[in-house]
Amino acid sequence: MASFLYRLGQAAFRKRRWVLLLWVAVVAAVGFKGLTAAAGSDDSSSMPGIESQKAFDLIDQRFPGTTADGASERIVFVAPDGQKVTAADHREAIEKTVADAAAGGQVASAVNPFQADAVSKDGSTAYATVTYKVTAKDISDGSKSELRQALSNAKQAGLTVETGGNALAAQTEAGGLGEAAGVLVAALVLLVTFGSMAAAGLPLLTAVIGVATSMLAIMALSSTFGLSSSTGTLATMLGLAVGIDYAMFIVSRYREERGKGHAPQEAVGRAVGTAGSAVVFAGLTVVVALAGLSVVGVPMLTKMGLAAAGAVLLSVIIALTLVPALLGFWPNAVLPRRLRRRNRRTGDADGQHLATATGAAAGTRESTWARFVLRRPLPVLLLSVIGLGALALPVTDLQLGMSGDEAKPTSTTERRAYDALADGFGPGFNGPLTIVVDAQGAHDAAGAADTIAKKIASTDGVVSVSKPRFNQAGDTAIISATPSTSPTSEETKNLVHTIRSERPGLESATDATFQVTGTTAANIDVAQKMQSALIPYLAVVVGLAFLLLLVVFRSVLVPVKAAVGFLLSVLAALGAVVAVFQWGWAADLLGVEQTGPIMSMMPIFLVGIVFGLAMDYQVFLVSRMREAYVHGQTPGRAMVTGFGHSARVVVAAALIMVSVFSGFITAGESMIKMIGFGLAIAVLFDAFIIRMAFVPAVLALLGHRAWWLPRWLDRVLPRVDIEGEALTRGDTPAAQPEERKPRETAGI
């Protein structure tokens, strides 16, 4: 591996103009295809294997046309304090508003609240539902303007008018200004780490190229694979973070090799051969973790995972090819300013005499900490484990679910509409349950549906049940049941399970069966599906990564340590998410206006993504320790040496990832805000507690045993030489002379 990547790095350095032209051509081709491709149909809401999805499919089959994914908007009218919507002037304004809304060109129907019994008992609130013939993304600006104009009639009459639904809902941006701020912080970290504008700018440039290419590729493939705009959110997050990190590791190792006295081309080859090997295997662990999301069986997760895996893979390729090519154009520009000045004074254009200038300064502070851990490994280990264990305690109260309009800021009309309906009709009104009665096998379909409706109405926790509404064939009915509790409460979850538990008795009594669906029931089912899939997913991902790390480090205990450390960091991160988003600790600081259950997909996201990122740090940090051990140092000395060389870069990489992920906390979408916070805090825990304390402490305690491998396994496992041992033995071809000395920018 090291020898191949050594030759690849040198080839990219020598043929830098061709490499650059090739990447320009790739970006141009993907960009043209992406910008001209048709938008894909978003079918990511499908959740195979759960009861609510089966019921949705049954409605689609038995009630053709009624569940076409047409947009809808619910208009909520609230009378001023002490007044009622049934007053003559208010009623007239509401009826005119609904009539004007129904006249819209793309509107299928608009139901008058006074005809549909959609007025609260106290008369303070009423609502009307407007349905469209087209999907939300196909509604024209003219249709939206017509609806907004219709709403003005009620507002002029003194009524408060709020809307909720997907017809007028604005698309929330993933990160916005916060994401840009995260990138700026990442640039500052790079500048402080490298002390060079060029060294700081190169990783940013290549990362942006990688993310742009990935997003354009997603756009190009959207119609073929049904990708939506949300598919690229995860790819943007990870592509930007790992793109910066991978390029930074190559540049950092290049600077180190230059400091050893190697010429630019040789330094590039050695950097790609060593740090590039770590990039390859770190990238593979991330790809394995992301591609493993497909085992969960949720199409949206599968698409997001594969898209992000493609972005990470592209980042690896860029780090191995484009980064060394750019270093070929400016081989001295990425060096610290003081070294460039000394280089010019000595006339050493190729940096042959930089060793004495850089060798002594490498990792002094980091080595001091590593020696401290080496002297006191047990206390450091216990403190790290106890600290993360305490942070993980809130996980015991984890409640999974999916938030809706209730989690949006009160500044949004959707949230105000949600609150108004809850006040006027009860907290369960926003989450009705849909009961689909399949009476094909019943002798009296109407009687069977009535029996089921009465039984459900008598269930504790049900406020009201609508009359059965049959399809044209008369063999299937839809019943709406309103719970007494809010959609995200545990009581509603228990109610859904209670209604389903009544099914066997009703089936035998009526010869008909039923299924419970609706948004609330679907969210409950998805949460259960995610919880059930977590352990198998964890086993698959950790198992594959264990084998990968076994090959990389040729050790049994190092992969075990990596898995344990990952579990500690991810559980602590999930505990922090519960404390903030479910318990409300420091929620105001993050702009979380409504606490509630944790997003159902959050544990899966954390396990998959954080595992891949944690293995990044594992490979980069421990590979340098392994490299020193293979080259003859004692285990303790190898730990200190490897830590001194790589800890600073790992810390910088972690700060960059935390900065990028933290930028998404400013998103208006609750799901993205939660993911950004979870990933940022998980990286923080993993990099600064697991990698900086737990890992060196465990290696110090294990000593030689850390690198133990049974002889029979040693013979079976392939050798990949991530430590670059072949480079030090001279097994690689001698560095080829450069075609010409690269031109330098003036003053560099």
Side-chain angles (χ1 to χ4, degrees):
M1 172 67 75
S3 299
F4 169 75
L5 293 178
Y6 171 88
R7 292 191 292 268
L8 177 63
Q10 287 210 333
F13 185 95
R14 293 195 307 270
K15 305 295 183 181
R16 48 191 170 272
R17 291 174 179 80
W18 288 106
V19 172
L20 182 60
L21 288 174
L22 178 61
W23 274 108
V24 169
V26 168
V27 174
V30 174
F32 175 78
K33 178 62 178 176
L35 295 175
T36 57
S41 58
D42 185 12
D43 59 352
S44 58
S45 60
S46 176
M47 296 286 176
I50 59 177
E51 177 175 322
S52 53
Q53 182 63 51
K54 295 176 183 178
F56 276 130
D57 295 339
L58 184 62
I59 294 175
D60 193 31
Q61 177 186 350
R62 303 285 178 85
F63 293 82
T66 59
T67 59
D69 51 353
S72 65
E73 194 76 8
R74 178 175 284 175
I75 308 173
V76 183
F77 306 94
V78 181
D81 291 341
Q83 301 183 33
K84 296 184 178 181
V85 294
T86 53
D89 55 340
H90 291 157
R91 178 167 184 152
E92 180 182 357
I94 292 173
E95 289 179 337
K96 178 170 176 44
T97 296
V98 175
D100 290 347
Q106 295 177 305
V107 174
S109 65
V111 183
N112 188 319
F114 302 106
Q115 297 176 356
D117 193 24
V119 180
S120 63
K121 291 181 180 180
D122 61 3
S124 64
T125 310
Y127 69 90
T129 302
V130 181
T131 57
Y132 287 81
K133 303 173 185 177
V134 296
T135 61
K137 66 179 181 179
D138 292 328
I139 296 179
S140 65
D141 292 337
S143 294
K144 293 180 180 180
S145 298
E146 290 171 353
L147 180 57
R148 293 190 181 99
Q149 182 62 37
L151 300 179
S152 64
N153 295 319
K155 292 179 180 178
Q156 291 173 0
L159 294 168
T160 298
V161 182
E162 307 293 351
T163 59
N166 58 1
L168 295 180
Q171 296 295 321
T172 57
E173 297 295 330
L177 293 176
E179 182 183 352
V183 174
L184 290 177
V185 173
L188 181 61
V189 171
L190 286 168
L191 185 59
V192 172
T193 302
F194 288 137
S196 164
M197 290 291 292
L202 193 150
L204 286 173
L205 174 63
T206 55
V208 169
I209 292 173
V211 169
T213 306
S214 300
M215 296 307 296
L216 289 170
I218 291 173
M219 293 170 60
L221 299 173
S222 59
S223 60
T224 305
F225 296 102
L227 306 180
S228 66
S229 58
S230 62
T231 306
T233 300
L234 189 59
T236 301
M237 283 184 179
L238 289 180
L240 194 58
V242 302
I244 294 174
D245 282 359
Y246 293 167
M248 184 179 68
F249 286 121
I250 298 292
V251 173
S252 177
R253 190 58 184 257
Y254 168 79
R255 285 157 53 102
E256 183 181 329
E257 295 297 333
R258 289 292 303 276
K260 294 178 180 178
H262 295 298
Q265 181 174 306
E266 178 67 11
V268 164
R270 288 177 176 270
V272 177
T274 51
S277 298
V279 165
V280 169
F281 282 97
L284 284 177
T285 57
V286 182
V287 169
V288 166
L290 293 170
L293 289 171
S294 58
V295 306
V296 178
V298 177
M300 183 179 72
L301 272 180
T302 299
K303 293 175 182 178
M304 291 182 73
L306 292 177
V312 172
L313 191 60
L314 185 62
S315 297
V316 172
I317 297 173
I318 287 176
L320 299 179
T321 57
L322 184 58
V323 170
L326 294 178
L327 288 173
F329 285 104
W330 301 283
N332 291 336
V334 298
L335 301 178
R337 181 179 300 177
R338 60 184 179 83
L339 298 182
R340 296 201 307 269
R341 288 174 178 172
R342 180 175 301 186
N343 208 22
R344 289 196 301 270
R345 288 198 306 267
T346 59
D348 182 22
D350 290 334
Q352 297 288 352
H353 302 98
L354 292 178
T356 57
T358 60
T364 302
R365 296 178 182 176
E366 294 80 6
S367 298
T368 301
W369 169 252
R371 284 190 288 270
F372 172 82
V373 176
L374 187 61
R375 291 193 301 269
R376 299 174 179 82
L378 190 57
V380 172
L381 177 63
L382 291 177
L383 282 175
S384 61
V385 172
I386 293 172
L388 290 176
L391 290 169
L393 286 178
V395 174
T396 58
D397 190 40
L398 174 65
Q399 297 177 10
L400 297 180
M402 289 295 290
S403 59
D405 289 342
E406 78 281 359
K408 293 183 177 180
T410 53
S411 58
T412 62
T413 185
E414 292 86 359
R415 169 65 184 275
R416 294 194 297 269
Y418 180 97
D419 292 342
L421 290 172
D423 292 339
F425 296 90
F429 182 82
N430 286 296
L433 306 177
T434 302
I435 317 298
V436 185
V437 180
D438 185 358
Q440 273 192 336
H443 298 292
D444 182 8
D450 286 336
T451 300
I452 292 173
K454 291 177 181 178
K455 178 62 176 176
I456 293 175
S458 65
T459 304
D460 290 338
V462 175
V463 174
S464 63
V465 173
S466 67
K467 293 181 180 180
R469 179 170 64 88
F470 280 88
N471 63 342
Q472 188 172 1
D475 57 4
T476 307
I478 294 178
I479 302 169
S480 180
T482 303
S484 61
T485 51
S486 65
T488 58
S489 68
E490 281 293 307
E491 291 82 359
T492 302
K493 176 182 177 181
N494 295 333
L495 175 62
V496 170
H497 293 319
T498 299
I499 293 175
R500 287 172 175 171
S501 68
E502 297 171 346
R503 184 161 43 210
L506 289 171
E507 285 178 347
S508 59
T510 62
D511 292 329
T513 187
F514 69 88
Q515 293 174 323
V516 183
T517 187
T519 302
T520 300
N523 290 339
I524 294 171
D525 290 346
V526 169
Q528 182 62 46
K529 184 181 179 69
M530 295 296 103
Q531 189 171 349
S532 302
L534 182 59
I535 299 301
Y537 172 65
L538 190 62
V540 169
V541 171
V542 173
L544 290 175
F546 178 87
L547 294 176
L548 194 62
L549 293 177
L550 187 67
V551 173
V552 171
F553 295 116
R554 309 195 69 78
S555 164
V556 174
L557 296 181
V558 168
V560 172
K561 169 193 63 61
V564 173
F566 154 72
L567 289 174
L568 283 172
S569 61
V570 78
L571 287 175
L574 192 56
V577 170
V578 171
V580 173
F581 290 88
Q582 185 175 309
W583 292 357
W585 292 5
D588 293 339
L589 295 176
L590 299 178
V592 180
E593 299 194 24
Q594 180 68 37
T595 59
I598 303 304
M599 184 184 67
S600 302
M601 299 178 186
M602 193 64 199
I604 292 286
F605 266 124
L606 277 182
V607 168
I609 301 168
V610 175
F611 184 83
L613 298 179
M615 293 306 104
D616 268 7
Y617 303 136
Q618 169 74 11
V619 170
F620 288 120
L621 184 66
V622 181
S623 64
R624 295 304 301 268
M625 299 177 183
R626 168 75 178 173
E627 181 179 339
Y629 181 77
V630 167
H631 293 162
Q633 295 188 14
T634 63
R637 180 59 186 167
M639 187 271 286
V640 174
T641 300
F643 196 91
H645 278 294
S646 56
R648 184 180 183 185
V649 180
V650 168
V651 168
L655 289 176
I656 289 170
M657 284 200 177
V658 170
S659 301
V660 172
F661 292 147
S662 296
F664 290 87
I665 298 177
T666 62
E669 182 66 39
S670 178
M671 180 184 75
I672 298 176
K673 184 188 294 287
M674 189 181 296
I675 292 175
F677 173 80
L679 292 179
I681 202 73
V683 170
L684 198 67
F685 290 157
D686 190 85
F688 289 93
I689 300 180
I690 294 299
R691 305 306 150 194
M692 298 296 107
F694 178 85
V695 168
V698 171
L699 292 178
L701 288 171
L702 289 176
H704 286 285
R705 293 186 297 274
W707 311 110
W708 170 77
L709 186 70
R711 291 183 179 179
W712 65 269
L713 191 56
D714 184 53
R715 292 192 297 267
V716 173
L717 291 178
R719 295 186 178 274
V720 295
D721 186 22
I722 192 174
E723 303 87 9
E725 187 178 2
L727 304 183
T728 61
R729 292 198 312 261
D731 292 350
T732 59
Q736 298 297 322
E738 299 182 47
E739 293 175 342
R740 62 174 62 93
K741 190 172 294 183
R743 289 185 298 176
E744 289 292 332
T745 304
I748 295 178

